[in-house]
Amino acid sequence: MFETLTARTTDSILTLMQAFRDDPRDDKIDLGVGIWREPDGTTPVFKAVKAAEQHLWRTQETKAYVGMLGDSAFHTAVAQLLFGQAPQRMAAAATVGGTSAVRQLLALTRVARPDATIWIPRQTWPNHWALAQDLGLSAQPYAWLDRAACVLDRDAVLRDLSGVQAGDVVILHACCHNPTGADPDPDLQAAILNVLQRNGAVPLIDAAYLGFADTPEADAGWIRQAAACLPEVLIAFSGSKSFGLYRERVGLAFVLSDHAGVVQSHLAVLNRMDFTFPPDHGARVVTEILNDADLRRSWTEELGSIRGTLRTSRQRLAQALRAELQSDLFDVLTDQVGMFALLPLDETRVAHLREVHGIYMVGDGRINLAGVTEETCPRIASALAEVMRGRG
Ligand code: PMP
């Protein structure tokens, strides 16, 4: 049966993680993997998560199935976080992390509008393309970053998006989710929503990093605007990064629509076919944290500290590179937000950094700033300067 198959590679990030583990050098530096790490390399459990888990352990009396859409208290708690208050015309389904929320929303698109084009920013996570292709949807890139200058190319973004048609779906990254670290400012956010509104297109907002640029509520600003001005909005929410619940697979697919009831029935069928019941433990932890004032305060404080550390890492790397290169090219790092930045490096230079210096980053030059610590920064800056000088 399987002799016709050839081996497939998963996406490059996972391959890189394995190569890093296999590298015997003691002083190797991981700037690849997309999880938050403290300067000592650990990814601790949030205090609020531990407390909520303790409470659950004491009080939970059953592990019986919940329902195909998950727990409605989870839907409401996250909806309040995202929208300020849960909208009337909302369909919601808990999913297996944010990735599966994206998948269910694209699968729903295929049911409702199989000929829709999915518009995907040119710099994104490889899975957006993979999911659209796997579902047989046609996909089209739109501009995002000016790679040489490392800044958002706003004219190109709006020019490309002016081509969207009624019923098309446009994937937008909520705050800090774009792997470039370059988020749209409020003007560009409004302009993008305007184009979608004018053309009758639907945004699919992929949200996994609330709390990484500003407070979680402030970071939901673009989502709230979209909800206020567009008739139909799709949102994929992940609790992996904002709550540090990566392996618990916490996700939610939201749809705002005047046909929310019918949409919700379709989401239930999609969940039924994929996994029947979504995971519950992490969802319950998130619900407890959002609904308890003390836990919520503790969670936002810890997120605030992560935010502060990332800001310091950005400043530290920009400053070190300015000193090494006598150039302000990397000052953009301090204007950008979240864990990621896309450096103007090609595959050859990325391979050089890995092979010669033991510095691991994704092949297109994406780095996770969480790996730029007081200890690692000088080595990273001098190695980057070395490859940048050889740019020619
Ligand atoms: N969206 C996309 C496209 C992703 O690849 C990921 C994984 N990094 C997420 C959202 C959120 O992560 P998770 O599935 O772990 O919740």
Side-chain angles (χ1 to χ4, degrees), residues 326-380:
Q326 303 296 314
S327 145
D328 59 6
L329 176 66
F330 288 97
D331 283 7
V332 287
L333 284 170
T334 59
D335 302 332
Q336 296 173 348
V337 282
M339 272 198 329
F340 304 109
L342 189 66
L343 304 177
L345 300 172
D346 57 20
E347 301 237 344
T348 317
R349 289 184 172 91
V350 169
H352 177 88
L353 288 166
R354 186 172 60 243
E355 283 153 20
V356 177
H357 298 279
I359 297 174
Y360 283 70
M361 61 184 69
V362 183
D364 57 359
R366 175 173 70 72
I367 61 165
N368 178 352
L369 272 301
V372 182
T373 63
E374 198 173 353
E375 192 193 331
T376 59
C377 184
R379 263 186 61 215
I380 296 169

Side-chain angles (χ1 to χ4, degrees), residues 96-99 102 125 127-128 177 206 208 238 240-241 246 249-250:
V96 188
T99 307
V102 176
W125 302 102
N127 229 4
H128 282 152
H177 196 273
D206 198 352
S238 162
S240 301
K241 332 277 174 170
Y246 305 88
R249 313 309 296 133
V250 181

Side-chain angles (χ1 to χ4, degrees), residues 92-362:
T95 56
V96 188
T99 307
S100 133
V102 176
R103 183 176 178 94
Q104 299 309 54
L105 292 170
L106 290 176
L108 179 72
T109 302
R110 182 174 65 171
V111 174
R113 246 201 228 242
D115 56 349
T117 296
I118 313 300
W119 294 73
I120 301 177
R122 200 170 289 284
Q123 285 84 27
T124 194
W125 302 102
N127 229 4
H128 282 152
W129 288 101
L131 289 169
Q133 272 157 14
D134 189 52
L135 288 161
L137 290 158
S138 66
Q140 160 104 15
Y142 68 90
W144 197 252
L145 202 75
D146 172 338
R147 284 260 8 214
C150 296
V151 295
L152 239 170
D153 192 343
R154 48 192 310 135
D155 293 342
V157 172
L158 293 174
R159 192 170 53 241
D160 284 358
L161 287 181
S162 68
V164 303
Q165 307 284 316
D168 283 354
V169 169
V170 179
I171 293 186
L172 301 175
H173 290 282
C175 82
C176 303
H177 196 273
N178 190 290
T180 61
D183 275 9
D185 60 22
D187 275 357
L188 185 58
Q189 289 181 356
I192 290 173
L193 294 182
N194 242 322
V195 177
L196 269 54
Q197 188 175 23
R198 244 192 348 262
N199 294 19
V202 180
L204 191 174
I205 308 179
D206 198 352
Y209 288 94
L210 296 187
F212 278 71
D214 200 333
T215 64
E217 293 80 5
D219 281 352
W222 203 14
I223 296 173
R224 292 182 187 193
Q225 264 181 45
C229 72
L230 293 172
E232 292 180 332
V233 182
L234 314 176
I235 295 142
F237 168 81
S238 162
S240 301
K241 332 277 174 170
S242 299
F243 291 86
L245 282 163
Y246 305 88
R247 64 175 69 167
E248 299 295 352
R249 313 309 296 133
V250 181
L252 260 171
F254 286 109
V255 178
L256 304 186
S257 158
D258 291 341
H259 309 282
V262 177
V263 167
Q264 180 124 330
S265 73
H266 278 271
L267 287 173
V269 170
L270 289 168
N271 273 8
R272 172 80 176 125
M273 289 187 294
D274 272 3
F275 40 78
T276 305
F277 299 107
D280 179 70
H281 178 74
R284 216 156 276 274
V285 167
V286 166
T287 312
E288 294 239 346
I289 292 173
L290 292 176
N291 289 341
D292 179 288
D294 289 339
L295 293 186
R296 190 166 173 143
R297 196 173 314 113
S298 159
W299 168 61
T300 44
E301 274 170 19
E302 259 189 274
L303 262 182
S305 138
I306 290 175
R307 225 168 28 239
T309 308
L310 282 172
R311 216 169 281 144
T312 307
S313 297
R314 287 182 172 278
Q315 282 156 0
R316 188 185 280 133
L317 185 59
Q319 208 169 7
L321 284 167
R322 200 179 314 128
E324 288 275 355
L325 288 165
Q326 303 296 314
S327 145
D328 59 6
L329 176 66
F330 288 97
D331 283 7
V332 287
L333 284 170
T334 59
D335 302 332
Q336 296 173 348
V337 282
M339 272 198 329
F340 304 109
L342 189 66
L343 304 177
L345 300 172
D346 57 20
E347 301 237 344
T348 317
R349 289 184 172 91
V350 169
H352 177 88
L353 288 166
R354 186 172 60 243
E355 283 153 20
V356 177
H357 298 279
I359 297 174
Y360 283 70
M361 61 184 69
V362 183

